[in-house]
Amino acid sequence: MPSDPNDLPTSADVFCAAQTVSGTVHRTPLIRSQLLNELGGANLWFKCEHLQKVGAFKARGAANALSLLPEGAELVATHSSGNHGAALAWAAAERCLPCIVVMPETTPDMKRMAVESYGATIVTCGPTLADREEALQKVVQETGAHVVPPYDDSRIIAGQGTVALEVVQQCREQGFTPDVIVAPVGGGGLLAGTGLAIAALAPDVLVIGAEPAGADDAQRSLRGGVHITTQQPHTIADGLRTTLGHRNYRVIRRTVRDIVTVSESGIVRAMQLLWTRTKQMVEPSAAVGLAAVLEHGARFRNKNVAVVLTGGNMDLGKVSSLLASVEE
């Protein structure tokens, strides 16, 4: 991994991460649905990272990051809206390290409970990224904790890229290479890691990011060539409300073909289709990739498309109110 924190991760770092996390995280399945193939006009393959440790791909980055902790680090901390916090708490517990997670007051109860279940200490903050960073800085000043950022970190990006390595390997085991891989983007750890992995392993594969139209900073950054660092997101996909990280943006500019946006109703439709047709209980953020295929059909028609289902952590008691809020 880069010795200077300002350096960018490389494709080689993703391959190293794959060796590091092998046996620690799951090799999640790749599934398909004939009905969804027909609706999408493409051959769709879904990478089931909602079946990963802690219910999200974030376990990969956390496991890789903690394997590369500096000598003497005895406490780790981060800020998170949920899945990264749970992942870091889990990975820290595996290493018998204490962990502190700064979480916005708007975090869904289920995600807060998941972090607590792995033994981490939660510090509550305001809803904005600035609130999170201020609270985390205070934690570090008071405790000396080593920070493991949720996405803008070379170790995290490399770990998340192992998803794409597995996708290509699993497809090739079945006799083909995907034409396109679609990954949701919030902070950009998964999309940047995917770009690095695909650039080295299968450079002819197109990497497409997908994000809610109500949180479209990544698309505007990539298409405009200027990194947008502030926005006021409005989306049910709570895992994608954050802005693109600095390292992530620089990697994505080099390795990702495009980023498309999807509507809130499209996210709900895709989520309901995944629930009913594949019987996979994914959260809204995880449905964004399928929503992209359905709403931008011409880009994917008749292609072999791998779609990453990123997580499955949601409060089932609030499903009805969540769906109703979009319909209104």
Side-chain angles (χ1 to χ4, degrees), residues 89-317:
W90 161 76
E94 290 289 297
R95 293 174 173 270
C96 298
L97 282 172
C99 176
I100 300 174
V101 181
V102 172
M103 305 191 79
E105 58 197 9
T106 53
T107 299
D109 290 342
M110 182 176 180
K111 292 189 175 182
R112 185 182 302 274
M113 291 169 59
V115 171
E116 291 176 333
S117 74
Y118 294 112
T121 299
I122 293 177
V123 173
T124 303
C125 68
T128 69
L129 180 59
D131 292 331
R132 294 194 207 183
E133 292 176 341
E134 181 181 351
L136 181 58
Q137 184 178 23
K138 184 177 179 182
V139 166
V140 172
Q141 290 172 344
E142 293 176 350
T143 67
H146 175 80
V147 174
V148 181
Y151 47 84
D152 196 356
D153 183 281
S154 296
R155 303 163 297 181
I156 293 292
I157 293 170
Q160 316 306 29
T162 62
V163 174
L165 291 185
E166 284 187 10
V167 167
V168 174
Q169 292 162 357
Q170 288 169 306
C171 288
R172 287 178 175 172
E173 287 167 6
Q174 299 186 52
F176 73 99
T177 298
D179 300 306
V180 186
I181 183 166
V182 182
V185 54
L190 176 62
L191 186 59
T194 296
L196 288 174
I198 294 301
L201 189 62
D204 291 335
V205 176
L206 300 182
V207 179
I208 303 292
E211 68 181 343
D216 66 346
D217 65 292
Q219 185 193 71
R220 289 184 289 134
S221 295
L222 181 62
R223 292 185 178 183
V226 177
H227 184 198
I228 295 169
T229 58
T230 60
Q231 70 172 345
Q232 302 228 342
H234 180 71
T235 177
I236 61 171
D238 60 280
L240 305 180
R241 289 174 184 159
T242 190
T243 54
L244 201 60
H246 294 285
R247 292 173 186 79
N248 315 70
Y249 169 64
R250 291 166 64 191
V251 171
I252 286 168
R253 283 194 68 185
R254 293 190 289 104
T255 62
V256 173
R257 174 61 61 91
D258 196 11
I259 296 173
V260 299
T261 62
V262 299
S263 66
E264 294 298 289
S265 60
I267 295 172
V268 170
R269 181 189 180 215
M271 187 167 58
Q272 291 174 319
L273 284 169
L274 288 163
W275 292 351
T276 59
R277 300 304 175 180
T278 69
K279 312 307 179 189
Q280 303 301 309
M281 186 57 68
V282 299
E283 62 187 272
S285 299
V288 169
L290 175 58
V293 173
L294 297 177
E295 291 193 349
H296 300 272
R299 301 188 69 142
F300 305 102
R301 189 160 295 122
N302 298 323
K303 290 182 168 60
N304 291 318
V305 182
V307 179
V308 183
L309 303 180
T310 50
N313 297 313
M314 61 184 300
D315 188 341
L316 298 182

